[in-house]
Amino acid sequence: MSGLDPLYLFVFAGLFSPGPNVILLTASGARFGFRRTLPHVAGVVIGVGVTSGLTALGIGALLLAQPGLAMGLRVLAAGWILWMAWKLLTAARAPRGAAVDRPFTLVQAVLFQWVNPKVWAIALAAASGYAAGLAPWQEALRLGSTFSGINLFVCLFWSFAGSLLTYLLTSERAWRLFMGGMSLALAASAGMVFL
């Protein structure tokens, strides 16, 4: 363990714990199945890697230096997260097999990472607390590849776990309670934006 980069443990703990991506991937796995959720997984992996890499290049410092820009990003993030929570709640009220929605596309999942407050917080902390003293591009590559590599396994786990929940959620009531709980958890995560 002495040779293990502490960045890996930090990133794993940050990305594995519940947040918007975990909630959305688990719900998507339950609603659409593991295979149909894979484009969402790929988008999260790519988006988190790009976001964290750009943070290492100085985007994070720019956001910290420009409070107006940071606040605009927070408001956009909270609004998008609340809209997605509403979509989950709507799905919870619809009959289980109703085609009221579809899984995130790869592009939608990539774009969501730009307003995901948890990803920004973890990336900023990792860039400032676990820098290796490399050249900026090397540091960005290190951070981006670490986030993407670890997040691939995290996203696959939560998507697969969600797909297994369909075996437990056999009644309409259980399904509605699950989806309602996921939508409330997602809505609550919008508050993290302003912390």
Side-chain angles (χ1 to χ4, degrees):
M1 286 297 275
S2 62
L4 184 66
D5 189 338
L7 172 66
Y8 301 154
L9 296 174
F10 175 78
V11 170
F12 175 77
L15 296 177
F16 191 80
S17 61
N21 280 330
V22 167
I23 294 165
L24 289 170
L25 286 167
T26 305
S28 182
R31 289 169 66 198
F32 307 112
F34 180 71
R35 192 173 285 165
R36 287 187 65 200
T37 302
L38 289 177
H40 186 169
V41 168
V44 171
V45 170
I46 292 166
V48 166
V50 169
T51 301
S52 59
L54 290 175
T55 300
L57 284 176
I59 297 282
L62 173 66
L63 289 173
L64 292 174
Q66 298 293 323
L69 181 61
M71 181 54 76
L73 184 62
R74 285 185 183 107
V75 169
L76 179 64
W80 196 350
I81 290 169
L82 289 171
W83 177 78
M84 288 185 299
W86 174 253
K87 297 287 279 177
L88 277 180
L89 186 61
T90 303
R93 292 179 180 165
R96 187 170 185 174
V100 294
D101 209 356
R102 59 174 173 67
F104 263 34
T105 65
L106 182 136
V107 172
Q108 288 171 324
V110 168
L111 292 175
F112 176 64
Q113 304 321 304
W114 284 90
V115 295
N116 185 337
K118 183 179 175 194
V119 170
W120 280 106
I122 297 166
L124 286 168
S128 61
Y130 296 94
L134 303 171
W137 283 104
Q138 291 173 317
E139 198 66 59
L141 183 60
R142 174 179 171 261
L143 210 59
S145 61
T146 298
F147 270 73
S148 284
I150 291 171
N151 206 27
L152 173 62
F153 295 103
V154 168
C155 292
L156 289 173
F157 173 85
W158 285 112
S159 299
F160 189 68
S163 71
L164 293 178
L165 285 173
T166 59
Y167 297 107
L168 298 174
L169 303 171
T170 55
S171 72
E172 282 296 320
R173 184 173 190 278
W175 178 252
R176 286 190 175 131
L177 286 172
F178 169 73
M179 292 302 291
M182 295 303 273
S183 67
L184 288 175
L186 187 58
S189 74
M192 291 183 348
V193 173
F194 300 102
L195 299 178

